[in-house]
Amino acid sequence: MTEAANLSEAVSQPAHVPDSLVYDFDMFHDPALLVDPHKRILDMIKSAPPIFWTPRNGGQWILQGHAANFDAARDTESFSSEIMPHEQVEAILAQLPPDMPHIPRAYPINLDPPLHAQYRMPLQRVFSPKTINALSGSIRTLAGELIDKVVGQGRCEFMADVAEPLPVQVFLKMLGLPLERLPEYRALVKEHLSETDPNPATSIARLQQVAAAMRDTVLERREHPRDDIISMLWQVEIDGRPTTLEDLENYGVLLFIAGLDTVMQGMGHGARHLALDPALQDELRKDPALVAQATEEMLRRYTFTVPPRRVNRDLVFQGVEMKRNERAILFLPGADLDPKEFPQPEKFDLRRDGKPHIAFNAGPHRCLGSHLARVELNIVYEEMVKRLPPFRIDPERPPKFKGGHVVGVEELHLVWEK
Amino acid sequence: MNMGSLVRATELTMKIRINKAACVGNARCWAVSEELFPLDDDGYIEVEEVDVPPGMEALARRGARACPERVIEIIEDEK
């Protein structure tokens, strides 16, 4: 438990927070979370209230019950996605020197309605199920190539060998970015993932690098459109005005930060489950049509995204008094393991005929990339059981996990008979 | 009166009613039945009310249950 040393400092409990709602949980460094994340979350569901306040990470509300997440996610007036109010951000930016390079912003993930919808609308068609399903052939080819590359080795580090390169390649392809730049983007993703520097200047600088890495292509597509997202985004309007280079950079950054780390962690959790569950592997090998159901249950059992919100007004939410500008964390992994919603939540049940999970969140911020993520997840699991012999976790090298806004898998060593 | 119309008189008819404004585009209903739950080009539900053709009742129920936003209602009426 060396991580205990890394726990963020505890802040003092505000007067309106009753002792009964205080529970010590550092969402980045909780030692048990880093040993086995969803085991820890199942335990937390039993031992802490559905809404609790933790003194860690600057002091914040954690919404872990299903009802709390479902209602808060849909109440955008009370729970804002603008971690700093939009007007305040605009005021700060307006004071910067005019020759300062554009600071890309991940619109619309950090906007509230109605502005949210204006920026989201142009992306919806591109990420609609119909458009995404048309990409499945090329995604399958990529997945097959990555798995075939390791099959003869009898082992792989799944995250670096499959889970990370696949979505990055799909991202480049969809945006229309040159594939030669794959190493550059993989390096940026890697930096983004291993970021521990709390200084916002570091992450701003990287977002600027992400924007810079696509600028040539973005400008080129304005003159010479092709069949890709960048070209399409030049042709749409945001609230009646044509898109600008800044808009394109904002979108690029959004797709980069929201679309890569997330699905790859989903793959990591799912592949780990498969490695621990040989009977499920057998079942899916015999009947690949069951993979889609397995993907849904994996998403429920191992929900991994943890979106932050800002309490937008003083309120009493499900009996809990909260103050304006406090931080409230939508701890979705807890919501999908809530026994009130999912009986025997710890059980992976391929035929669970219950209520749908909210792994992609609820409300207007429902993950824009959910359809793409599902296709990628389905294909990876299908190709794994098709191309690999029965695989398991390398007993010599247990997996490593990470906490934070995406509860993820850092390393997953799989082995099989050559 | 023939037997067919007698039987039909006691059959239930099923309607799907959707709170379209509350759809956030999960498209899980569409994944259950593209026919009962058509989507627009943005991937959101296109219709507010659907008469369920006989034989598709189970699919309609499954599609309604699949909605994470819980905006799909099944209405059963006696004819």
Side-chain angles (χ1 to χ4, degrees):
Chain A
M1 300 280 160
T2 49
E3 278 291 331
N6 293 331
L7 285 184
S8 69
E9 208 179 313
V11 301
S12 57
Q13 177 183 345
H16 67 284
V17 177
D19 290 347
S20 61
L21 294 185
V22 177
Y23 184 85
D24 192 332
F25 177 64
D26 183 325
M27 62 179 265
F28 288 87
H29 300 293
D30 180 83
L33 186 78
L34 300 181
V35 172
D36 194 344
H38 294 84
K39 185 163 177 270
R40 165 63 169 139
I41 296 163
L42 281 161
D43 171 61
M44 196 159 76
I45 292 270
K46 284 188 197 141
S47 46
I51 300 173
F52 66 84
W53 186 86
T54 173
R56 303 290 169 184
N57 315 117
Q60 56 188 2
W61 293 104
I62 305 274
L63 279 52
Q64 63 162 345
H66 185 279
N69 278 283
F70 188 71
D71 291 353
R74 292 150 49 98
D75 182 356
T76 55
E77 280 178 30
S78 302
F79 295 94
S80 171
S81 293
E82 299 176 0
I83 296 311
M84 188 187 275
H86 184 65
E87 298 73 33
Q88 212 172 316
V89 175
E90 291 296 314
I92 291 171
L93 292 174
Q95 283 173 8
L96 296 175
D99 55 346
M100 175 120 177
H102 170 60
I103 298 176
R105 280 154 284 163
Y107 286 171
I109 203 171
N110 51 9
L111 288 175
D112 291 334
L115 209 50
H116 168 259
Q118 290 170 15
Y119 281 87
R120 180 169 169 131
M121 198 112 55
L123 294 173
Q124 280 176 178
R125 192 159 303 196
V126 188
F127 286 93
S128 74
K130 290 177 197 172
T131 318
I132 294 300
N133 285 352
L135 297 173
S136 57
S138 58
I139 295 173
R140 191 175 299 281
T141 306
L142 287 173
E145 284 168 7
L146 290 168
I147 295 167
D148 284 349
K149 219 186 273 180
V150 297
V151 70
Q153 294 171 197
R155 61 178 311 120
C156 75
E157 197 286 281
F158 181 75
M159 300 312 290
D161 290 337
V162 180
E164 185 244 71
L166 177 65
V168 180
Q169 288 184 44
V170 172
F171 170 84
L172 296 181
K173 211 176 151 57
M174 280 184 78
L175 267 84
L177 294 164
L179 208 58
E180 307 90 79
R181 302 190 86 150
L182 184 63
E184 189 181 344
Y185 279 94
R186 287 186 64 175
L188 285 166
V189 171
K190 212 168 165 192
E191 270 181 50
H192 174 69
L193 296 185
S194 57
E195 184 56 74
T196 51
D197 187 348
N199 182 357
T202 314
S203 60
I204 288 175
R206 198 177 32 257
L207 295 185
Q208 285 175 326
Q209 268 176 288
V210 171
M214 54 180 80
R215 194 165 298 133
D216 293 350
T217 312
V218 169
L219 291 171
E220 201 268 337
R221 292 298 192 281
R222 183 166 57 182
E223 310 306 324
H224 307 284
R226 291 193 203 168
D227 181 21
D228 57 38
I229 295 186
I230 291 176
S231 307
M232 189 276 308
L233 289 173
W234 277 122
Q235 288 148 39
V236 297
E237 292 190 335
I238 298 173
D239 197 25
R241 63 159 178 86
T243 44
T244 63
L245 179 60
E246 294 191 351
D247 293 325
L248 272 278
E249 291 188 355
N250 289 345
Y251 281 139
V253 161
L254 165 83
L255 300 177
F256 179 88
I257 64 170
L260 298 176
D261 188 17
T262 45
V263 68
M264 91 182 238
Q265 304 309 338
M267 282 176 200
H269 291 300
R272 176 193 178 221
H273 183 93
L274 283 170
L276 291 170
D277 191 345
L280 178 64
Q281 282 187 44
D282 277 353
E283 203 174 354
L284 300 181
R285 253 180 216 109
K286 282 187 200 118
D287 187 1
L290 293 172
V291 169
Q293 267 161 267
T295 298
E296 291 309 310
E297 180 64 349
M298 303 265 201
L299 284 164
R300 181 203 67 83
R301 180 65 181 77
Y302 304 100
T303 295
F304 48 87
T305 58
V306 181
R309 292 291 184 267
R310 181 177 51 81
V311 179
N312 209 16
R313 57 184 174 89
D314 292 358
L315 54 86
V316 177
F317 177 70
Q318 298 186 355
V320 176
E321 189 184 349
M322 298 179 178
K323 297 281 186 202
R324 180 172 150 81
N325 290 336
E326 287 180 332
R327 198 167 33 206
I329 300 295
L330 301 181
F331 202 73
L332 301 176
D336 285 336
L337 292 172
D338 186 339
K340 286 195 208 83
E341 203 67 19
F342 304 101
Q344 290 188 280
E346 71 290 346
K347 195 176 162 211
F348 182 94
D349 181 356
L350 193 51
R351 286 161 189 86
R352 187 180 283 277
D353 188 27
K355 296 157 187 165
H357 62 76
I358 51 169
F360 294 114
N361 207 352
H365 284 278
R366 187 270 308 166
C367 171
L368 177 74
S370 64
H371 309 301
L372 175 59
R374 279 193 166 99
V375 167
E376 292 183 337
L377 293 168
N378 278 334
I379 288 176
V380 161
Y381 303 146
E382 280 166 15
E383 296 304 312
M384 282 179 89
V385 294
K386 185 171 134 196
R387 289 166 199 262
L388 293 176
F391 54 91
R392 59 200 158 85
I393 291 186
D394 183 347
E396 307 290 311
R397 296 205 256 178
K400 289 187 187 159
F401 300 99
K402 65 178 184 117
H405 291 287
V406 186
V407 175
V409 185
E410 263 178 358
E411 268 181 38
L412 178 66
H413 295 275
L414 302 178
V415 291
W416 55 86
E417 300 300 322
K418 268 197 262 187
Chain B
M1 194 184 270
N2 66 36
M3 288 304 286
S5 62
L6 253 182
V7 171
R8 216 173 300 129
T10 56
E11 261 176 11
L12 296 176
T13 60
M14 188 186 273
K15 255 192 211 316
I16 301 167
R17 194 171 293 157
I18 301 164
N19 178 4
K20 191 165 178 271
C23 171
V24 301
N26 277 289
R28 298 312 292 157
C29 56
W30 178 82
V32 172
S33 170
E34 299 186 16
E35 189 184 334
L36 287 175
F37 303 98
L39 300 182
D40 65 20
D41 286 342
D42 284 340
Y44 287 60
I45 192 76
E46 198 166 43
V47 291
E48 280 180 73
E49 213 170 86
V50 181
D51 291 319
V52 180
M56 296 187 82
E57 292 85 356
L59 273 180
R61 283 199 195 91
R62 262 181 57 209
R65 223 169 35 231
C67 177
E69 293 293 311
R70 305 172 185 179
V71 301
I72 307 177
E73 206 186 341
I74 297 290
I75 296 157
E76 286 173 282
D77 279 325
E78 274 184 45
K79 239 178 196 170

